[in-house]
Structures are given as C-alpha cells and as structure tokens.
Amino acid sequence: MIPELHLPWMELSILITLLGALWVRMIHDRDKAYRSCLLICGLVFLTSVCEWIDFESLHAFEARDHLNIFKLLFNKNFFIVDELSAPLLPLAALLYLLTVLSTLKTKGHRFSFSSTLLSESILLATLSSRELWGIILLLSVATILPYLEIKAHKRSTRVYVLHMGLFIALLVVGGVLSSFSEAGDSISLIAGAFLTTAALLRSGIIPLHCWMTDLFEKTTFGTALLFVAPMTGAYAVVRLVFPIAPDWALQGIALVSLTTAVYAACMTLVQREARRFFCYLFLSHSSLVLVGLEMATPLGLTGGLCVWISVGISLAGFALTFRSIEARIGRISLVEYHGLYDHTPTLAALFLVTGLASIGFPGTVGFIGTELLIEGAIEVYPLVGTAVVIAAALNSIAILQAYFRVFTGGRHTSSISLRARPSEHVAILILVALILGGGLYPQPGVTSRNHAAIELIHLRETIFRKSEIDSKISEIDLPESEQP
C-alpha cells in the first residue's frame, strides 16, 4: 500500500493555481494583477516545499495525497510523488515565482499573469502524475498556451503547430499501442518508439529542434523559459520510455542526445542574438541530461538527475539575468559590444556566476553532477565521456564570449538609470544562493538523486524480469488435458 502524505499538498498546489488563474483573469489593473500573481506563486511554492518536507519525513520511495479526491471518485491514485518528482515540484514552483517576481509591471500586457498561473497548474499536475494517459493529456494541453500567445502577437504559428501537432500525434499513437501491448512484445517496442520520438521532439533533439528557436523568437522570454526550463521532455523519457526500452534503444537515445549536445554547443558560438544563444545553450545542457538518463547505470543516472536539478537552477538564473537586460535595452545583439557593466554591475556578476554554474564550475551546484555524468559516461562508453567534456568546454567558451559582448567593450550611454530593481536582485540572488549552497554542501542532493536512480533502475529490471517470465510461460506447450 502506498503511504499517504499528511495533507493533500499536490492537489492543493494545483487547485490554488487554477483558482488563482481565474481570479487574476478578472483583474484589469496591472499592478494589482502582478501582486496577486506573485502572492499566488509564493503560496504555491510554500505548499510544494511543505509537500517535499512531508514526503522526506515518510522515508518512502513514493507517497500519495491524503484525502485524495481522484481516489475517492475514480478509485485511482492519479497524483503520486516519489523520489524523482519530490524536488522537481518545488523547483518548478520556484521558477514560476522568480519569473513573476523579476517581471517588470509594464510588461503585463505582453506577459499574461493568468496564463502563467494556468501553465503552472498544468506543469505541477504533470510532475505529480505517473499514469500514461495522464501524462499524455497534460503534455498535450501544455502546448496550447504558447500557441495562443504566438497568435496573439500576430506571428506565424506554422513551425510551432507542425512540431507540436506531430508531438501530440506521436504521444497518442504510442499511448494507444501501449494500451494493447504486453511488456517485451513487438507492439510494445513500436509503442516505445513512438513515445521516444515524441519525448525527444519535446526536448528539442536534432533535427526536431526548430520549434524551440521559433518559440523564443515569437513569444515573451518569460513564456518561452517557463515552457522549456522544467524539461518535461526528460520527465516523459523517465516515466514513459526508460522503464520499457531495451538497452540498445537507450544507447540510441543517448547517442542522438549527445550529438545534439555537441551540435548545440557549437551553435552557441556563432549566434548573433541573445535569445537564440540562450536557446542553443539550454538545448545543449538538456541534451546532456538525457545522455545521463539513458545510461541505465546508478552512477550515470545519478549524474543525469543531478545535472537536471543544477541546470534547472543555474540556467533559470542565467535566463532571468538576460531577461532583465533585455527589458532595458530591447533585443540583445551579440555582434557588437554593449559595455553595460558600469550600468548594471550586479547583473554582470550574476550573469557570470549562473553561467559558469551551468557548465559545472567548481564550488557550484553543477560541479558534482557534471563530474558524476562524465564518470558514468566514461564507465560505459569512453568516447561518450570525451564528447560530454567537449560540449561542456564549448558551452563555457560561449558563455564567456557572451559576457564580454554584453558587459564589456564600448561604453553604453543612457539618459535613464539601467540599474536592476530590488525584486530582480532578490530573484536572481535566491538562485545564486542555491547554486553556491548546493556546490558547497552537495551531499543531501546527491544522496537523494542516487536513491531515485537506484529505484528507477530497480523498477526497470522488475519490468524486464516479469516480461521474461511471461515469455517463458507462454512458450510452454501444455497438453490439452492440462489446459484450463
């Protein structure tokens, strides 16, 4: 029997964001809408942290909500938290909170607060779900809000619609085939192929990555960040693909992901615009996460899960720094030197800290995860470990190059102050504190990710053992007299 949390934290978080989205939708004053959205995001973050603390107190691998509504209505545990999703829920809530906190009030007409809360509720429900059709439904619904924003900005939706339409179709076909298959048979392999392609498309793996750059160009920076930063594509891989995929399939996924990581790292070096630069930087790091997730060894999987958390924290701070600068001078060109250091020295320092943390600089939260990922890759595939190092090196060069372009060189003249607001400082400083704290005291996080990795591998082995037993039983030809 699955243990229960002391309170229905997951359902509370989702319900608060849904009701909050309706409330903020009816508020026409931008300042009041901003404050209300900020209050709701703060409350949801608090409930998600309480859920994590409550879960850790149970000392169990998984737990369900107390007084579960879905259990009462449908006799099914739809929302379940385990060691994989427990830290992802507060991380997602924190990302939304800090994005709203760092948003200028004058951007309220472009960055919809009600849509932000609605997307947060969908994300929290996705990360709380382990049911096949629940994940498929939520991942599909999540694609609607960015489409509506692109359409509201009167930009072409063709690229986004083609990719997300294919994504949803692959999910549905894979889900249907999975419903009529048994573990290990040919139909199960075909279903896994469809689900794998869908998850890789959602993660932006080449050659299916064009939608991601298109999204960053045609929506607000905040909307694009909140759509890609939680890495729901990686979550789909772990929940839908990892337990059933054979070793050769995981090796293929790791190879494609590694190719994407190196390709995207090369692309960051030649980008002329900041949004596209960040998009390729994020794509390279998220692909490295997939490389770790597909190794199916405790060391490699632990490294992938650690990098997942560190990339979510560090690149969120990096993106919020970029976003704060863009709010002051418009779209940032990386062709010329802007010389913004004198105007925004704090943002310059935070830009450098968050950027270096993303590539695993010693003393930051990304260092241990990157080290484990490289060690795990070398243990299984020596050449893969070398490619991971190359991707990290290229990303570090690109980050330093972007820093010099934005903050050094010629002097930037402005008739108004460009210094960051206190709320922007608070948002990014919180992430910096997590980056440095996780780097100086990494043991709790690494231990948690290691436990999750071991349990995921155990679940995978259990499924395959059951499949082998079922196949052996089916091969036994019983005499007619002994058949039921």
Side-chain angles (χ1 to χ4, degrees):
M1 184 175 178
I2 301 176
E4 282 190 354
L5 300 173
H6 294 90
L7 287 173
W9 298 112
M10 290 177 283
E11 292 182 359
L12 274 176
S13 300
I14 297 167
L15 184 62
I16 290 171
T17 49
L18 284 175
L19 296 178
L22 294 175
W23 180 33
V24 172
R25 183 76 177 176
M26 296 184 292
I27 300 175
H28 300 291
D29 182 76
R30 291 178 188 172
D31 289 347
K32 187 176 180 181
Y34 169 79
R35 292 193 298 269
S36 300
C37 183
L38 187 61
L39 176 63
I40 294 166
C41 287
L43 185 58
V44 171
F45 173 66
L46 181 62
T47 57
S48 63
V49 171
C50 290
E51 168 268 322
W52 189 14
I53 296 173
D54 193 352
F55 173 76
E56 291 295 332
S57 69
L58 297 177
H59 301 289
F61 173 68
E62 59 185 17
R64 62 185 177 90
D65 268 343
H66 182 65
L67 300 176
N68 193 321
I69 297 176
F70 284 89
K71 179 68 174 178
L72 296 175
L73 296 178
F74 306 107
N75 196 29
K76 199 173 189 66
N77 292 312
F78 189 79
F79 297 125
I80 296 178
V81 63
D82 58 16
E83 286 196 287
L84 172 67
S85 59
L88 296 179
L89 290 167
L91 178 61
L94 178 64
L95 176 63
Y96 274 81
L97 172 62
L98 299 184
T99 301
V100 172
L101 179 62
S102 61
T103 299
L104 295 176
K105 298 177 183 178
T106 55
K107 298 291 183 180
H109 65 289
R110 290 180 59 83
F111 182 75
S112 173
F113 294 119
S114 59
S115 296
T116 299
L117 290 173
L118 182 58
S119 69
E120 183 177 10
S121 67
I122 296 171
L123 175 61
L124 293 176
T126 303
L127 297 178
S128 302
S129 176
R130 298 196 307 185
E131 290 291 328
L132 172 65
W133 283 106
I135 295 176
I136 290 175
L137 175 63
L138 292 166
L139 288 176
S140 302
V141 171
T143 63
I144 298 175
L145 295 176
Y147 164 78
L148 294 177
E149 182 169 322
I150 296 174
K151 199 168 183 63
H153 292 169
K154 298 181 179 179
R155 305 290 298 274
S156 173
T157 59
R158 183 180 304 170
V159 174
Y160 182 80
V161 169
L162 285 176
H163 284 81
M164 291 300 107
L166 177 60
F167 166 66
I168 295 172
L170 290 169
L171 280 179
V172 172
V173 173
V176 171
L177 292 176
S178 295
S179 301
F180 294 97
S181 66
E182 296 180 0
D185 63 10
S186 58
I187 298 179
S188 175
L189 292 176
I190 297 173
F194 277 102
L195 293 173
T196 298
T197 306
L200 294 181
L201 191 158
R202 181 63 177 81
S203 301
I205 299 300
I206 61 169
L208 303 173
H209 67 289
C210 300
W211 69 269
M212 193 176 288
T213 54
D214 185 75
L215 180 71
F216 272 90
E217 289 179 356
K218 295 178 179 177
T219 62
T220 60
F221 205 151
T223 299
L225 173 65
L226 294 176
F227 188 68
V228 303
M231 288 185 271
T232 50
Y235 187 79
V237 168
V238 175
R239 293 300 191 201
L240 306 181
V241 178
F242 183 80
I244 63 173
D247 290 340
W248 58 265
L250 294 182
Q251 292 171 5
I253 297 172
L255 181 61
V256 174
S257 302
L258 184 64
T259 303
T260 302
V262 177
Y263 166 80
C266 293
M267 290 296 290
T268 57
L269 296 171
V270 297
Q271 294 307 304
R272 302 166 65 89
E273 199 267 334
R275 287 197 181 193
R276 291 180 65 88
F277 164 80
F278 175 79
C279 177
Y280 280 108
L281 182 69
F282 179 85
L283 183 56
S284 179
H285 284 86
S286 61
S287 300
L288 290 178
V289 172
L290 291 179
V291 172
L293 296 181
E294 306 311 326
M295 287 182 192
T297 62
L299 184 60
L301 187 53
T302 300
L305 295 178
C306 288
V307 172
W308 188 344
I309 298 294
S310 65
V311 166
I313 295 173
S314 57
L315 284 188
F318 191 75
L320 293 180
T321 307
F322 251 140
R323 184 168 176 252
S324 297
I325 297 168
E326 186 180 280
R328 286 156 174 76
I329 64 173
R331 294 289 181 98
I332 305 168
S333 170
L334 297 179
V335 177
E336 56 188 18
Y337 291 93
H338 295 277
L340 292 174
Y341 183 87
D342 290 339
H343 295 276
T344 58
T346 306
L347 288 180
L350 296 176
F351 182 97
L352 202 56
V353 170
T354 53
L356 292 178
S358 69
I359 52 97
F361 194 79
T364 65
V365 68
F367 176 66
I368 298 296
T370 304
E371 181 71 15
L372 290 173
L373 180 62
I374 294 173
E375 288 289 336
I378 292 176
E379 182 182 276
V380 182
Y381 322 109
L383 292 179
V384 171
T386 303
V388 171
V389 174
I390 292 173
L394 292 174
N395 285 329
S396 62
I397 294 171
I399 289 169
L400 290 175
Q401 179 179 275
Y403 172 82
F404 289 129
R405 293 285 183 181
V406 175
F407 294 104
T408 66
R411 292 183 177 276
H412 183 85
T413 57
S414 176
S415 58
I416 59 174
S417 174
L418 300 180
R419 293 189 177 276
R421 297 180 299 117
S423 60
E424 292 172 311
H425 281 161
V426 170
I428 303 173
L429 283 173
I430 290 174
L431 292 173
V432 170
L434 292 175
I435 288 170
L436 297 179
L440 297 175
Y441 187 54
Q443 190 61 38
V446 174
T447 301
S448 169
R449 298 303 82 200
N450 184 55
H451 287 167
I454 292 173
E455 290 294 338
L456 288 172
I457 292 173
H458 176 69
L459 173 63
R460 171 181 164 80
E461 292 174 347
T462 301
I463 292 175
F464 274 88
R465 280 199 300 267
K466 183 178 182 299
S467 174
E468 291 176 0
I469 293 173
D470 291 342
S471 63
K472 289 179 180 179
I473 293 175
S474 64
E475 291 174 359
I476 298 176
D477 188 14
L478 295 175
E480 267 187 38
S481 60
E482 296 182 22
Q483 290 183 359

